Every structure is written in C-alpha cells, then in structure tokens.
Amino acid sequence: MTTTQLFTATRPAEIAVCPVGRLIPGRGVAALLPDGRQVAVYKIDDDEVRALCNIDPVARAAVMSRGLVGDRAGEPAVISPIGKQAYALADGRGLDDPSHGLSVFPARVAADGTVFVATQPAVRHARVIAA
C-alpha cells in the first residue's frame, strides 16, 4: 500500500537559532544557515527579533552581528562596526546610502521561546560597490 501525503507550507523553511532569553537587547548574534550564508539576529524588545544578512555590503566582512543597534530618526537601525553605515532593521535599506542594503530574513519567537529564522530572505538588496 502506498500512502501519499501532501504538505502545505505555511512558513518558509526556517532554522532554530537559540532561546530568546540568550539574546541581549541591542546586541546581535550570528547564525549559520544550512547553505553557508550568515544572518545577524537582533532582539528588539521582549519578544521581537529581526534578522539581516551578516555581511557588511561595503566592507564585505561578516560583521553586522557586531553592529550597534539603536535608532535613526526614530527608526530602529543597526550601524556597521567597520564603516559606520546605518541600515534599517525593518527592511534592510541603507539609511546613509540607499545604493547599499542588507537582505532581510523573516524571524520569529515561537511559543516555547525559541528564535527561528527563515532560510530565504523576504527582502533582497543588491550590493552595489562603488569602484
């Protein structure tokens, strides 16, 4: 007897990163996706998390998880620790230079407090490097 099951994906593929209690508000952590890409995960408030590409689009270094989290004119932002460029945590756009941005990965906190990050970005930004 052959049984066929159909699955309807309600969420994109995601990985468990860590318990939300391990994240410190205002500081990031780096997580490795199954395909080798890195994401920077930030805790914004008690149960809200954000995930952006960990690669600084200007310096091309995996440092965004070490960036400073704050706000720019009331908008939550992360500042690159190398070049000090600011990026919006909501959509990854460059606040100092719109030609640079960070891809945004959906992130959530499950009922048991585990932080999950999608393996594919919801928002992609092209990395335009000036010659």
Side-chain angles (χ1 to χ4, degrees), residues 1 8-9 13 63 65 122 128:
M1 179 174 151
T8 302
V63 296
S65 61
V128 179

Side-chain angles (χ1 to χ4, degrees), residues 8 16 18 22 36-37 43 50 52-53 59 64 67 69 79-80 85 87 103 110 116 120 123 125-126:
T8 302
C18 65
R22 290 243 176 127
R37 290 179 294 165
K43 182 177 180 182
R50 304 288 173 139
L52 302 173
C53 177
M64 293 309 297
V69 176
I79 312 296
S80 169
Q85 296 89 5
Y87 300 92
S103 294
F116 286 91
Q120 295 299 319
V123 177
H125 285 275

Side-chain angles (χ1 to χ4, degrees), residues 52-69:
L52 302 173
C53 177
N54 195 35
I55 307 296
D56 180 319
V58 177
R60 294 186 176 253
V63 296
M64 293 309 297
S65 61
R66 296 176 184 254
L68 297 172
V69 176

Side-chain angles (χ1 to χ4, degrees), residues 18-29 41-45 69:
C18 65
V20 71
R22 290 243 176 127
L23 298 178
I24 299 170
R27 300 185 70 184
V29 298
V41 182
Y42 307 95
K43 182 177 180 182
I44 303 302
D45 58 30
V69 176

Side-chain angles (χ1 to χ4, degrees), residues 32-50:
L32 187 64
L33 297 176
D35 65 0
R37 290 179 294 165
Q38 295 182 29
V39 293
V41 182
Y42 307 95
K43 182 177 180 182
I44 303 302
D45 58 30
D46 286 345
D47 290 325
E48 187 177 359
V49 293
R50 304 288 173 139

Side-chain angles (χ1 to χ4, degrees), residues 69-79 86-90 93-96:
V69 176
D71 73 80
R72 176 71 61 88
E75 182 169 4
V78 60
I79 312 296
Y87 300 92
L89 283 172
R93 71 187 142 74
L95 298 175
D96 296 323

